[in-house]
Amino acid sequence: MEERKITITAIEETPDFNEIKDLIIPFWPEQFGALPDERIVLEYEKDYRSKLDRVKYLYVDKRIAGWYRYSKFPREAGAKDVHTYDIAVHGDFQRQGLGLILMKDMIKDSRSLGYEKLLSRSFKNNEGSIRLHRAAGFTEHMKTSDSIVWELDLHAADRESEE
Ligand SMILES: CC(C)(COP(=O)(O)OP(=O)(O)OC[C@H]1O[C@@H](n2cnc3c(N)ncnc32)[C@H](O)[C@@H]1OP(=O)(O)O)[C@@H](O)C(=O)NCCC(=O)NCCS
């Protein structure tokens, strides 16, 4: 296989959600209710909070192949914990380890910014998400009727899974 260049870049300005619509529209959870494509992009634009959210894109060569967003939890200035909001890899690039690369970057990034805990959630029918969280070292915090809520202590001694 040809050598690919993988880079992860922080997006400091408000993201252009149209630019990453292929990474958000197909993955809009059915549990959130069906919406037309433009409305999904609009929901992202409305929901984004520049001082609370942290966004990075993963490039394979020059193409945006994945992204993540995490946010303070609770979603207010003084929060000590963070919560994943989005983590997605384009269909052309899934099952190649990129989701794990993104998740490990999110863990490193949130730890370096001084947060204590990273929380996350997978719908029970999303096997890829569940396996990804396990592989990244999350433990199950609780279950709800449709989801698993995960947590990861960002400062625990055992960081083996990130090596
Ligand atoms: C979840 C997602 C980000 C994983 O990205 P990826 O690049 O395919 O993941 P990786 O190749 O790094 O694989 C990570 C682990 O998940 C497993 N996995 C990934 N996709 C899977 C799938 N569809 N079914 C079963 N297992 C899957 C891999 O086998 C691997 O597990 P392992 O370490 O036990 O072998 C990707 O499937 C995606 O974008 N899904 C749609 C958006 C989404 O649901 N995001 C999660 C919201 S919480």
Side-chain angles (χ1 to χ4, degrees), residues 67-82:
W67 80 302
Y68 70 65
R69 171 175 62 145
Y70 70 85
S71 189
K72 291 183 190 259
F73 186 81
R75 218 154 171 228
E76 56 197 33
K80 293 190 171 118
D81 296 336
V82 280

Side-chain angles (χ1 to χ4, degrees), residues 90-101:
H90 192 286
D92 291 352
F93 296 94
Q94 287 182 7
R95 310 293 296 257
Q96 300 171 21
L98 299 180
L100 192 56
I101 289 175

Side-chain angles (χ1 to χ4, degrees), residues 27 87-89 94-100 121 126 128-129 131:
F27 305 138
I87 176 159
V89 172
Q94 287 182 7
R95 310 293 296 257
Q96 300 171 21
L98 299 180
L100 192 56
R121 172 181 173 195
N126 191 342
S129 172
R131 290 187 73 114

Side-chain angles (χ1 to χ4, degrees), residues 10 13 21 23 31 40 48 52 71 76-77 81 93 99 123 128 148 156 163:
E13 305 294 322
K21 63 181 188 320
L23 285 167
Q31 291 89 343
I40 295 175
Y48 178 75
L52 307 179
S71 189
E76 56 197 33
D81 296 336
F93 296 94
F123 286 114
I148 300 174
E163 300 313 317

Side-chain angles (χ1 to χ4, degrees), residues 12-26:
E12 308 291 354
E13 305 294 322
T14 303
D16 172 0
F17 289 104
N18 267 302
E19 189 185 29
I20 55 164
K21 63 181 188 320
D22 291 353
L23 285 167
I24 59 182
I25 291 170

Side-chain angles (χ1 to χ4, degrees), residues 42-49 53 69 75 85-86:
L42 205 64
E43 289 297 314
Y44 272 85
E45 288 170 352
K46 276 198 326 210
D47 189 50
Y48 178 75
R49 301 281 177 279
D53 295 0
R69 171 175 62 145
R75 218 154 171 228
Y85 265 62
D86 300 274

